[in-house]
Amino acid sequence: MLDVERTESVSLPGQRVQGPTTGRAEVEALAGSPAHWEQVTNRRGAAVWRVTGPRGAWALKVGTGEGGATVARETTVLQQTHAVVPGLSYGGRAKAGRGPGSAWLITPWLDGPSTWSRFEGVRQRHDENWAPALAAAVDMCHAVAALHAAGWVHGDLQPHHTVHTSSAVRLIDCTWVSGPSLAPSHAYLGGLLHLMSPELMHRIEAGARPVTTEPPDEVYALAAGLWWAATGTWPRDYAAAGVDPARFTAAVLRGLLLRNRVPYGHISHWPQLEEVLRNVLEPPGSRRPTAEQVGQWLRQIGPW
């Protein structure tokens, strides 16, 4: 069931879905009539629909409660970055507003696979050609490098949050982006724990608030995310340490990771990629390469 205050039924050929009234008129004016609605996600108080019509496809995100606050912040991010961060330039066409106890955001629908999708053949080990995955990794590095060059960080960098369109890599789910004109949110908790740098964990454990992500932390998340995309497993080998991460709180897991109780795993089917990523993950933040350097290293390896 849709997580917004008011819904109405939308009849489509062969199906019946729920759509919001909040933001409906605005997105259907952009898409044109008749509009086809497809719910894409619904989590943590925010739901996303793809709305397609004769004038194009758009994404409508509606949040309530805490979800409304995150949608409102993402709106602010896009307003402040679309002119300075290439990966967020689609925000220049965004529209946003408020409803009863909710916030909504409309952006162009970004056609293209995520980095996670580009790595499916590597993860499943069924493709003969891994060059497209390697190219996607390099492109992701360039997009992150451009973000950092503009003075911003994403804050929740994952292989699911980069979309490879026909023209460029776009960064999505950008609620926690921060930079020169937008301080980190006090609601931000550092992103996905399994992709978090030791330095960022130390700052969280020390009680630093708001939690601040620096570019070296994000390069760690970049490499850890590529490891995850290539293997379907976290970079740290929890099984080898006899740890079931689902059974521990984030605080306990951070403690185990900071005490180096969980070793890094292996990418046995692509050792060249493992070598590059280890050279990002293992050094301290002060000696970690930039996103641009990681992209250069990746260009030097082959998929075999």
Side-chain angles (χ1 to χ4, degrees):
M1 181 63 69
L2 178 64
D3 188 14
V4 294
E5 287 194 344
R6 296 180 297 152
T7 67
E8 66 181 67
S9 297
V10 183
S11 296
L12 300 172
Q15 70 178 126
R16 188 174 179 83
V17 301
Q18 294 280 22
T21 56
T22 301
R24 172 181 295 280
E26 291 81 2
V27 75
E28 290 190 340
L30 291 168
S33 181
H36 175 92
W37 287 70
E38 176 190 359
Q39 187 168 342
V40 180
T41 62
N42 186 5
R43 63 183 188 273
R44 294 192 294 274
V48 178
W49 290 264
R50 178 179 181 176
V51 184
T52 308
R55 289 199 290 272
W58 296 80
L60 170 65
K61 181 181 288 189
V62 179
T64 57
E66 292 183 4
T70 62
V71 170
R73 181 178 169 88
E74 186 168 4
T75 298
T76 301
V77 167
L78 293 177
Q79 290 171 342
Q80 296 198 17
T81 59
H82 71 83
V84 294
V85 178
L88 297 173
S89 61
Y90 64 91
R93 300 173 66 195
K95 295 184 180 296
R98 296 275 188 171
S102 65
W104 56 267
L105 171 65
I106 300 170
T107 56
W109 182 263
L110 301 176
D111 279 318
S114 66
T115 304
W116 177 266
S117 297
R118 282 282 182 89
F119 267 81
E120 182 177 0
V122 178
R123 215 166 34 251
Q124 303 297 332
R125 309 185 198 186
H126 59 60
D127 276 358
E128 294 184 357
N129 181 13
W130 293 348
L134 186 62
V138 172
D139 289 344
M140 181 179 179
C141 290
H142 289 331
V144 175
L147 176 74
H148 292 172
W152 295 79
V153 292
H154 186 278
D156 191 19
L157 192 64
Q158 301 179 25
H160 303 75
H161 293 169
T162 48
V163 177
H164 300 261
T165 71
S166 59
S167 58
V169 176
R170 304 301 185 196
L171 306 171
I172 63 171
D173 281 5
C174 54
T175 295
W176 306 123
V177 166
S178 61
S181 59
L182 186 62
S185 167
H186 280 268
Y188 173 61
L189 299 176
L192 188 57
L193 172 62
H194 308 290
L195 310 184
M196 198 179 292
S197 75
E199 300 81 25
L200 182 54
M201 292 186 203
H202 274 298
R203 292 198 292 276
I204 293 172
E205 288 296 301
R209 297 295 184 272
V211 176
T212 301
T213 296
E214 303 291 345
D217 303 314
E218 194 138 274
V219 174
Y220 185 99
L222 168 64
L226 289 173
W227 186 301
W228 181 26
T231 64
T233 61
W234 306 122
R236 299 281 192 164
D237 191 345
Y238 290 106
V243 172
D244 179 358
R247 298 183 61 185
F248 293 93
T249 65
V252 171
L253 278 178
R254 281 196 300 268
L256 291 172
L257 294 169
L258 288 173
R259 293 194 299 274
N260 291 318
R261 299 291 180 85
V262 184
Y264 288 103
H266 295 282
I267 307 178
S268 58
H269 55 294
W270 200 348
Q272 299 94 329
L273 179 64
E274 178 187 329
E275 181 180 5
V276 169
L277 299 182
R278 277 184 175 272
N279 286 332
V280 181
L281 300 173
E282 292 180 340
S286 60
R287 293 195 287 111
R288 196 165 293 136
T290 64
E292 187 64 33
Q293 289 172 322
V294 177
Q296 292 171 359
W297 291 352
L298 290 171
R299 279 199 299 269
Q300 296 172 9
I301 70 172
W304 310 116

